[in-house]
Amino acid sequence: MASAALQQRPRPTRMRAEGRRNQIVAIAAELFSQKGFRGTTTKEIADHAGVSEAIIFRHFATKDDLYRAILDDKVNQTTARMKENLNEAAGRKDDNAYFGSLAYEMLEFHRKDGTFMRLLLFSALEGHDLSEIFFHSTAREMKNHIRRYIKQRIADGAFRPIDPALAARAFVGMVLNQAQVRNIFRDDDLRFSNRQMADRFVDIFLNGIRKPGHTGSRPARG
Amino acid sequence: MASAALQQRPRPTRMRAEGRRNQIVAIAAELFSQKGFRGTTTKEIADHAGVSEAIIFRHFATKDDLYRAILDDKVNQTTARMKENLNEAAGRKDDNAYFGSLAYEMLEFHRKDGTFMRLLLFSALEGHDLSEIFFHSTAREMKNHIRRYIKQRIADGAFRPIDPALAARAFVGMVLNQAQVRNIFRDDDLRFSNRQMADRFVDIFLNGIRKPGHTGSRPARG
DNA sequence: TGTAAGTATGTTAGTGCTTACTAACTTTCG
DNA sequence: CGAAAGTTAGTAAGCACTAACATACTTACA
C-alpha cells in the first residue's frame, strides 16, 4: 500500500526544497514503519526518492533529525484529526454513539494509516526520546477524554461506580488490541467490518458498566 | 607498572559449553528486548557475558541463529507455563474464577518477564520469520482457549449470543493493552494491584456478556 | 597417583562490508 | 550571473564474523 510514493525514478526530477523535503519525510515514514529506524538506511530512502544520498543530508542534518520530523508530522496531523472526532462525539450524551463512533474512528484510522501504529511502537521500543510525546499526544489524550466522559456518566447515575480510568483503558484496550493484531501480527481472523466490530465492542462494554435497569440511556428527550 | 587501567575482565571464568550457551541466550534476550535485534551488537552481548566476541560465534553460527535460539527458548518455557494456568482454570465452570485467574496470570506474567512482550513486538515489527510462530504460540492459542470456553457458556445459556472470537479478543485486549502500556510505554497511572485490575476487568467483561438475570454462577464467593 | 596428551574453552587481531555523513564539483532555472 | 538543487566520490567508524593462537580441564596410562 502507498507504494506509489516509493517508486524509483530513472530521471532525477528537480524539485523545490519544500516539495523534496515532504517527499523524503513521506518515504522515510513508510520505510521506518516497515523496518524501524535502525533497520532503514539513508541510502535506501534516497533510492526510493530517486535522488542521491547527499540530498537527504541537505534537508536533514542527521538521520535522527529526519526521524524527529516524521514523528512531529504524524503527531500534528493525527491529534488534529482525532480531536475533531472526539469533540464531535462528546457533545451529545448518547453513550452508544459516543463509544461507537470512537471505536469506529480508531479502527478506521489504523486501517487507513498502517504506518502510525508501527512507528509508535518502534519509537517506544527503540527508546527514541520523542516516543513519549508521540504516545501522550495520542492514546493517553484519548484515554483521558473517555475517562472524563465516564466520570460524568457515573455522576449522572447512568454508569455503575467503576474506576473511570480503568474502564477507559479497558475500552481502548479492546479496540487498540484488535487494530494491533491486524496491523502488526497480520492475524485477520475476525471477519467483521469495522462498523460491526465497533458496535459489538460497545455492546459488551456498555452492558458491562451500565447500571442495571439503565437499558439504553439515549439522551432523554424530556 | 601494572596497567591497571585495563577493562573489567579480571578473571575470564571458564564455563562449560552448556552453561555459557545459556548465559549468552539469557543476556542476548535481555539486550534484544531492550534495543531490538538490529540495535544490539554481538560485541555488546560478549561484553555483558564477560567474554570475547568470538565465543558468541562458537556457540551460534550467526547472530540470526542466536535470535532463533532465544525465541525458541521463550516460546517453549512460556507455552508450558501458560497452558498449565489455562487448563487449571478451565476445569471449573466458574466464570469469575476462569477469567479472573486468566487476567491475573497474564498481568503477572508480563510483570515478571518484561522482556517477553518487547521481544514479541520487536520480532513482529522487524519482520523476523519466527515472529509468526512466536505470536501463534502465545496470544492466539490463549485466545482460542477463551473462545471455546465462551462458546460453551453460550450453549449453557449463561452468556448472551455474542461472537465468541470477538468477545475473546475484547477480553484479551483489555488485559494485554494494560500490560503493554505498562511495559512499553511506561505509563503507570493506574494504581491498582494486578489482582484488583484483573477483578475489575472481569467485572466489566462478564457484566457485558452475561445474560440478564444470570448474576453469576459463582459457587461460593460473597 | 602423576603427568603428558588431547580437548574444550578462551583470547587477539584482524577481514571485508556497510553505515551515516561530507567535500567538492556540476547542472538547472529565474 | 547567482542561487538553488543536483551529482560523485569519498571517509571514518562500526558491524558480523573468522583464523590462528593460548590456556585451562579431563583423561589415559605408567
Side-chain angles (χ1 to χ4, degrees):
Chain A
M1 307 241 228
S3 55
L6 303 183
Q7 295 294 342
Q8 263 180 311
R9 290 160 201 246
R11 284 218 169 177
T13 39
R14 192 184 161 100
M15 293 174 79
R16 293 229 176 122
E18 196 189 327
R20 183 65 78 193
R21 202 189 127 100
N22 291 340
Q23 185 210 17
I24 291 170
V25 166
I27 287 169
E30 179 69 26
L31 289 175
F32 285 161
S33 86
Q34 279 169 17
K35 320 170 68 178
F37 178 72
R38 290 187 171 106
T40 306
T41 67
T42 50
K43 175 75 164 50
E44 215 174 341
I45 297 167
D47 282 349
H48 278 81
V51 119
S52 73
E53 210 181 339
I55 287 296
I56 306 283
F57 293 96
R58 176 156 299 162
H59 293 281
F60 305 94
T62 64
K63 190 188 172 189
D64 223 71
D65 265 19
L66 172 55
Y67 198 43
R68 205 162 273 125
I70 291 169
L71 296 188
D72 262 2
D73 192 55
K74 281 280 172 191
V75 165
N76 288 337
Q77 75 185 49
T78 303
T79 47
R81 223 193 305 184
M82 278 287 175
K83 272 182 185 167
E84 274 180 38
N85 294 329
L86 281 174
N87 291 328
E88 181 204 13
R92 3 175 194 170
K93 275 200 174 180
D94 184 340
D95 300 330
N96 280 78
Y98 179 81
F99 288 103
S101 72
L102 199 56
Y104 177 72
E105 292 296 340
M106 284 167 71
L107 290 171
E108 276 295 299
F109 172 76
H110 287 294
R111 184 185 62 77
K112 284 182 206 151
D113 188 357
T115 70
F116 185 84
M117 181 170 276
R118 297 178 66 89
L119 274 174
L120 177 61
L121 280 172
F122 258 126
S123 73
L125 285 170
E126 287 180 333
H128 206 274
D129 46 352
L130 257 81
S131 80
E132 206 176 325
I133 297 169
F134 202 19
F135 172 65
H136 286 183
S137 70
T138 58
R140 192 140 100 171
E141 198 164 325
M142 190 159 40
K143 196 204 62 190
N144 283 337
H145 199 281
I146 304 170
R147 185 175 51 73
R148 282 194 296 272
Y149 184 81
I150 293 173
K151 202 172 178 181
Q152 178 59 51
R153 297 297 286 154
I154 292 172
D156 292 349
F159 293 166
R160 295 189 288 123
I162 37 109
D163 181 83
L166 187 135
R169 175 146 307 157
F171 184 71
V172 170
M174 291 183 193
V175 180
L176 283 188
N177 188 67
Q178 166 61 25
Q180 185 171 309
V181 166
R182 272 201 173 155
N183 276 359
I184 313 287
F185 298 103
R186 311 281 173 205
D187 187 26
D188 229 344
D189 60 338
L190 293 185
R191 296 261 158 237
F192 292 103
S193 71
N194 280 346
R195 178 61 75 193
Q196 292 172 316
M197 205 121 50
D199 286 347
R200 280 159 174 77
F201 283 145
V202 169
D203 173 63
I204 292 174
F205 181 70
L206 283 183
N207 273 296
I209 66 172
R210 267 189 187 132
K211 265 197 177 160
H214 260 264
T215 45
S217 134
R218 299 203 199 101
R221 49 164 70 174
Chain B
M1 57 188 282
S3 50
L6 276 174
Q7 278 286 349
Q8 258 191 353
R9 199 183 294 168
R11 269 189 206 179
T13 39
R14 194 185 160 99
M15 292 175 80
R16 291 217 182 129
E18 196 188 328
R20 183 65 79 193
R21 202 189 129 100
N22 292 340
Q23 185 208 17
I24 292 170
V25 166
I27 287 169
E30 179 67 29
L31 289 175
F32 284 161
S33 87
Q34 278 169 18
K35 321 171 69 178
F37 178 71
R38 289 187 173 106
T40 306
T41 67
T42 50
K43 175 75 164 50
E44 215 174 343
I45 297 167
D47 283 349
H48 276 79
V51 117
S52 73
E53 211 180 339
I55 286 296
I56 307 282
F57 292 97
R58 176 156 300 163
H59 291 280
F60 305 93
T62 64
K63 191 187 172 190
D64 223 71
D65 265 19
L66 171 55
Y67 197 43
R68 207 162 273 127
I70 290 168
L71 295 188
D72 263 3
D73 192 55
K74 280 280 173 193
V75 164
N76 289 336
Q77 74 185 51
T78 303
T79 47
R81 222 194 306 184
M82 276 287 175
K83 272 182 185 167
E84 273 180 39
N85 294 328
L86 281 175
N87 291 329
E88 182 203 14
R92 359 172 197 171
K93 274 201 175 179
D94 183 341
D95 299 331
N96 278 77
Y98 179 81
F99 288 103
S101 73
L102 201 56
Y104 176 72
E105 292 296 340
M106 284 167 71
L107 290 171
E108 276 294 300
F109 172 76
H110 286 294
R111 183 185 62 76
K112 284 183 208 152
D113 188 357
T115 70
F116 186 86
M117 181 171 276
R118 297 179 65 89
L119 273 174
L120 177 62
L121 281 171
F122 257 126
S123 73
L125 286 169
E126 287 180 333
H128 206 274
D129 47 352
L130 258 80
S131 79
E132 205 177 324
I133 297 170
F134 202 19
F135 172 64
H136 287 182
S137 70
T138 58
R140 193 141 98 169
E141 199 164 325
M142 188 159 41
K143 197 203 63 192
N144 284 336
H145 199 281
I146 304 170
R147 185 175 51 74
R148 283 194 295 272
Y149 183 82
I150 292 174
K151 204 172 178 181
Q152 178 59 50
R153 296 298 285 154
I154 292 173
D156 292 347
F159 293 167
R160 296 190 288 124
I162 37 110
D163 181 83
L166 187 135
R169 174 145 309 156
F171 184 70
V172 170
M174 291 183 192
V175 180
L176 283 188
N177 188 68
Q178 166 61 24
Q180 185 171 310
V181 165
R182 271 200 175 155
N183 276 358
I184 313 288
F185 299 103
R186 311 281 173 205
D187 188 25
D188 228 344
D189 60 338
L190 294 185
R191 296 265 158 233
F192 292 104
S193 71
N194 280 346
R195 179 59 75 192
Q196 292 173 317
M197 203 121 50
D199 286 346
R200 282 160 172 78
F201 282 146
V202 170
D203 174 63
I204 292 175
F205 181 69
L206 284 182
N207 273 296
I209 66 172
R210 267 189 188 132
K211 265 195 177 162
H214 261 263
T215 43
S217 56
R218 315 174 175 196
R221 181 101 172 98

